């Protein structure tokens, strides 16, 4: 069963139609890359799934739960939305780390706030927080940042910042992790470290949706690729097929421009 | 004579400090409420808050003092002239017969409203300067709106508004001298009194030392806070 089902999603900003009926499914443990030129609606699509925008039409199902249905217009309650929000993670293009917190605090903040709702919180506060710290440290270590626990975001390179933000999302153990152009704000020589981390996650069968401009990377890491153009899916298929053997003129043109 | 003057000025400065501290105490939180009002998506509240800020910032504080102190009595007197009979008439006559607010309370109300409006604009600027990404990051991490505000946004706002706030607060110290418009015996009033009673001008100039020393202290304190909050700016 697909863990993410998107069907006929439409979204306009004012008179501009940004998404004109997007549908795709994603299986658990798979990696989907979304490629396409700027303004094709990739980011908006991601934002609609992550509750940062509300779609106008269509249906979005995450892990069996309908999170958006344009037909019934039934809205999730705030509590339901929060719960659902936690089952998906989003890594932003420009990190959005919290500047006043160090690396460890950035990763633990949401977990610690959430822990306050546990019935045994008052009794075991210290132990709960220690467990959270341990868990966060192991995620940070996986990102290769164990020596930066006390550093503030401003002291880190772009690549390190992005790895912290991946750790921050991973610490919540999302079922699907979304990446919105995770390397676009980085210097070219720093993109490698991020791509390496994502490759590792793919090996561990993390379900991911990646909006990216790194074609070679997309081809290598994804199971499936969706090419978006002007708010529609212009071409889709197995990663090697889409990148290696494009069918539509539009995708051919896009790939030749990118490789220049 | 020097000690007599110093003592009298200290007494006046006590009033000054009292007005200063109480104004801060009430205006700091009220300003936050007004700033939320001016950022509200509910149009009437937004319009009201912006109108209030416009009127208060657009007119002199001295005039506001006079309006709040004399205004209610004047309105009462005018109303009593038109309606002098029955319960309403006696109510208006009653209002007209006294100043509704005690002098100090009237001054405090005027100062609190005035400074809350200025603070609200500083708060608004600070809050609006935080990038949308910070709110969105809070949201995708499953924080509620208020959790995001208190755990993520507020600290960054405070850090950003400390310089303009310290500016405004230092202005407040000096603005307290306006209270003498309605005969609050603050430090300038007391200093000036020596011109009439003893023909001495220097006590009035001497008051400047008190302001200078106090504002020097505030500058040092704000500098310390600013430095302390700067830990995450590399």
């Amino acid at each position: 069963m697909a863990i993410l089902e998107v069907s006929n999603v439409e979204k306009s900003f004012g008179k501009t139609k940004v998404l004109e009926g997007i549908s795709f499914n994603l299986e658990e443990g798979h990696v989907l890359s979304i490629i396409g030129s700027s303004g094709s609606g990739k980011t908006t699509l991601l934002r609609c799934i992550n509750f940062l925008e509300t779609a106008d039409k269509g249906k979005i199902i995450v892990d069996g739960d309908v999170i958006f249905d344009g037909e019934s217009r039934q809205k999730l309650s705030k509590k339901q939305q929060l719960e659902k929000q936690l089952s998906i993670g989003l890594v932003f293009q420009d990190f959005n780390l919290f500047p006043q917190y160090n690396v460890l605090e950035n990763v633990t903040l949401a977990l610690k706030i959430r822990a306050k709702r546990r019935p045994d919180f008052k009794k075991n506060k210290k132990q709960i927080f220690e467990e959270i710290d341990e868990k966060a440290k192991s995620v940070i270590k996986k990102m290769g940042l164990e020596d930066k626990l006390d550093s503030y975001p401003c002291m880190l390179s772009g690549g390190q910042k992005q790895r912290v933000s991946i750790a921050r999302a991973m610490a919540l153990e999302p079922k699907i992790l979304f990446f919105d152009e995770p390397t676009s704000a980085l210097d070219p020589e720093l993109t490698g470290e991020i791509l390496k981390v994502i490759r590792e996650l793919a090996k561990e069968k993390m379900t991911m949706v990646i909006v990216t401009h790194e074609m070679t990377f997309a081809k290598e890491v994804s199971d499936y690729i969706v090419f978006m153009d002007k708010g529609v899916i212009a071409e889709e298929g197995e990663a090697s097929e889409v990148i290696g053997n494009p069918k539509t003129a539009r995708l051919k043109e896009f790939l030749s421009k990118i490789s220049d | 004579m020097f000690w007599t003057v110093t003592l009298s000025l200290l007494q006046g400065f006590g009033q000054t400090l009292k007005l200063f501290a109480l104004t801060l105490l009430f205006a700091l939180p009220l300003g936050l409420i007004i700033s939320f009002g001016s950022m509200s998506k509910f149009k009437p509240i937004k319009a009201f808050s912006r109108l209030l800020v416009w009127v208060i910032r657009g007119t002199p504080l001295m005039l506001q003092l006079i309006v709040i102190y004399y205004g209610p009595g004047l309105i009462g007197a005018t109303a009593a002239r038109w309606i002098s009979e029955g319960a309403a008439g006696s109510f208006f006559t009653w209002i007209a017969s006294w100043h509704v607010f005690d002098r100090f309370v009237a001054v405090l109300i005027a100062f609190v409203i005035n400074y809350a409006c200025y603070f609200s604009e500083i708060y608004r600027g600070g809050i609006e300067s935080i990038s949308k990404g910070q709110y969105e990051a809070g949201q995708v991490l499953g924080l509620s709106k208020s959790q995001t505000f208190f755990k993520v946004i507020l600290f960054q706002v405070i850090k950003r508004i400390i310089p303009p706030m310290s500016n405004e607060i230092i202005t407040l110290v000096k603005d307290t001298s306006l209270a003498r418009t309605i005969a609050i015996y603050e430090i300038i009033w007391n200093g000036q009194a020596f011109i009439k009673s003893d023909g001495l001008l220097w006590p009035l100039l001497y008051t400047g030392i008190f302001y200078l020393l106090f504002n020097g202290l505030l500058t040092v304190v704000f500098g310390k806070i600013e430095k302390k909050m700067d830990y995450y700016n590399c």
Side-chain angles (χ1 to χ4, degrees):
Chain A
M1 195 191 77
I3 193 162
L4 173 65
E5 296 170 48
V6 174
S7 43
N8 288 314
V9 166
E10 293 183 21
K11 172 76 184 169
S12 305
F13 292 114
K15 281 182 182 162
T16 323
K17 268 206 151 185
V18 184
L19 300 176
E20 302 194 41
I22 300 286
S23 306
F24 66 86
N25 285 350
L26 177 64
E27 300 294 324
E28 193 164 359
H30 280 199
V31 177
L32 170 87
S33 284
I34 303 176
I35 60 172
S37 47
S38 308
S40 59
K42 309 178 301 272
T43 295
T44 305
L45 176 61
L46 234 57
R47 292 174 61 87
C48 285
I49 302 170
N50 281 278
F51 299 101
L52 294 175
E53 304 284 354
T54 310
D56 300 329
K57 281 182 189 165
K59 202 169 185 181
I60 303 173
I61 302 173
V62 173
D63 198 22
D65 293 319
V66 179
I67 64 162
F68 173 78
D69 188 350
E71 288 286 301
S72 71
R73 283 271 148 206
Q74 223 175 29
K75 270 199 157 181
L76 294 181
S77 73
K78 274 201 173 148
K79 207 178 151 204
Q80 283 173 315
Q81 184 181 324
L82 272 180
E83 279 311 308
K84 224 51 216 168
Q85 184 96 59
L86 287 167
S87 67
I88 53 185
L90 174 64
V91 172
F92 296 91
Q93 179 176 344
D94 42 8
F95 333 123
N96 291 331
L97 294 177
F98 305 134
Q100 73 268 42
Y101 294 123
N102 66 27
V103 169
L104 183 62
E105 290 165 337
N106 259 284
V107 177
T108 56
L109 180 72
L111 288 168
K112 285 187 176 170
I113 290 175
R114 234 171 104 216
K116 287 183 184 158
R117 274 188 287 165
R118 281 171 59 161
D120 60 338
F121 177 72
K122 275 200 178 137
K123 224 170 69 194
N124 305 330
K125 182 175 173 182
K126 209 176 150 212
Q127 195 199 338
I128 291 174
F129 276 8
E130 271 169 18
E131 279 169 24
I132 290 175
D133 281 343
E134 283 317 304
K135 188 174 157 194
K137 279 179 194 165
S138 77
V139 181
I140 295 169
K141 192 171 174 207
K142 226 169 111 184
M143 298 295 141
L145 293 167
E146 61 270 35
D147 55 337
K148 298 283 181 197
L149 289 177
D150 304 322
S151 303
Y152 288 92
C154 62
M155 300 152 83
L156 304 175
S157 73
Q160 289 168 334
K161 280 184 202 166
Q162 193 57 298
R163 280 187 280 155
V164 176
S165 86
I166 296 172
R168 188 173 68 171
M170 287 297 292
L172 291 164
E173 296 172 341
K175 292 199 168 119
I176 312 173
L177 189 52
F178 293 83
F179 291 88
D180 185 12
E181 303 192 26
T183 59
S184 293
L186 301 179
D187 290 335
E189 75 261 29
L190 296 178
T191 58
E193 52 180 298
I194 299 306
L195 302 184
K196 193 175 143 217
V197 166
I198 300 176
R199 267 187 213 110
E200 289 296 317
L201 292 174
K203 262 188 216 153
E204 292 167 22
K205 291 289 163 204
M206 181 75 209
T207 312
M208 292 185 282
V209 177
I210 309 167
V211 169
T212 183
H213 289 297
E214 305 278 338
M215 290 310 135
T216 334
F217 168 72
K219 182 179 165 188
E220 171 205 329
V221 81
S222 340
D223 299 288
Y224 204 78
I225 288 186
V226 162
F227 169 63
M228 282 181 65
D229 186 40
K230 292 180 188 134
V232 297
I233 294 181
E235 194 166 338
E236 61 185 307
E238 302 279 321
S240 52
E241 248 330 88
V242 171
I243 305 272
N245 187 17
K247 305 270 185 306
T248 58
R250 192 60 198 90
L251 178 55
K252 279 179 195 164
E253 189 195 333
F254 173 72
L255 289 175
S256 73
K257 265 191 199 155
I258 286 266
S259 61
D260 281 346
Chain B
M1 193 65 205
F2 179 73
W3 293 115
T4 320
V5 170
T6 306
L7 206 66
S8 162
L9 293 192
L10 269 177
Q11 236 167 30
F13 201 55
Q15 282 295 90
T16 299
L17 288 185
K18 188 171 143 199
L19 179 57
F20 168 77
L22 288 174
T23 302
L24 273 191
L25 182 70
F26 294 113
L28 288 172
L30 181 62
L32 194 60
I33 296 170
I34 298 174
S35 79
F36 284 144
S38 355
M39 289 183 288
S40 171
K41 282 186 187 125
F42 186 58
K43 289 248 167 72
I45 289 187
K46 182 174 170 165
F48 174 76
S49 306
R50 300 245 164 146
L51 181 75
L52 178 71
V53 171
W54 173 57
V55 170
I56 296 296
R57 290 203 308 177
T59 56
L61 176 53
M62 193 192 273
L63 191 59
Q64 293 161 19
L65 281 173
I66 293 169
V67 166
I68 287 179
Y69 185 56
Y70 295 107
L74 264 178
I75 293 169
T78 314
R81 209 173 299 150
W82 293 98
I83 305 163
S84 52
E85 277 160 36
S90 49
F91 174 70
F92 289 133
T93 322
W94 175 66
I95 286 189
S97 68
W98 64 299
H99 292 107
V100 174
F101 301 116
D102 162 76
R103 281 176 199 281
F104 190 80
V105 174
V107 169
L108 188 60
I109 291 174
F111 269 78
V112 166
I113 295 176
N114 186 280
Y115 271 82
C117 284
Y118 279 96
F119 290 160
S120 80
E121 285 298 283
I122 296 179
Y123 293 154
R124 188 166 70 88
I127 291 171
E128 287 177 347
S129 74
I130 306 296
S131 84
K132 226 175 87 195
Q134 291 287 308
Y135 294 93
E136 292 183 346
Q139 192 193 326
V140 299
L141 291 172
L143 305 189
S144 68
K145 274 190 180 150
S146 71
Q147 285 167 342
T148 305
F149 183 78
F150 286 107
K151 297 283 181 179
V152 176
I153 307 295
L154 188 61
F155 188 89
Q156 299 180 48
V157 171
I158 293 175
K159 182 178 147 53
R160 279 188 202 186
I161 64 174
I162 288 217
M165 284 299 276
S166 43
N167 221 354
E168 207 57 51
I169 288 169
I170 283 171
T171 306
L172 169 62
V173 175
K174 294 171 289 172
D175 270 1
T176 53
S177 60
L178 286 172
R180 58 190 267 283
T181 318
I182 55 173
I184 295 292
Y185 301 150
E186 48 69 65
I187 182 165
I188 298 247
W189 176 290
N190 283 7
Q192 213 175 11
F194 286 99
I195 301 178
K196 269 188 211 158
S197 61
D198 303 271
L200 294 176
L201 186 61
W202 65 264
L204 185 57
L205 305 181
Y206 183 24
T207 61
I209 304 284
F210 287 77
Y211 285 107
L212 261 183
L213 287 179
F214 187 63
N215 279 333
L217 179 74
L218 285 182
T219 308
V220 171
V221 169
F222 283 123
K224 285 238 162 90
I225 298 176
E226 223 175 294
K227 211 170 161 197
K228 198 160 183 202
M229 293 186 90
D230 214 31
Y231 68 90
Y232 66 80
N233 256 22
C234 313

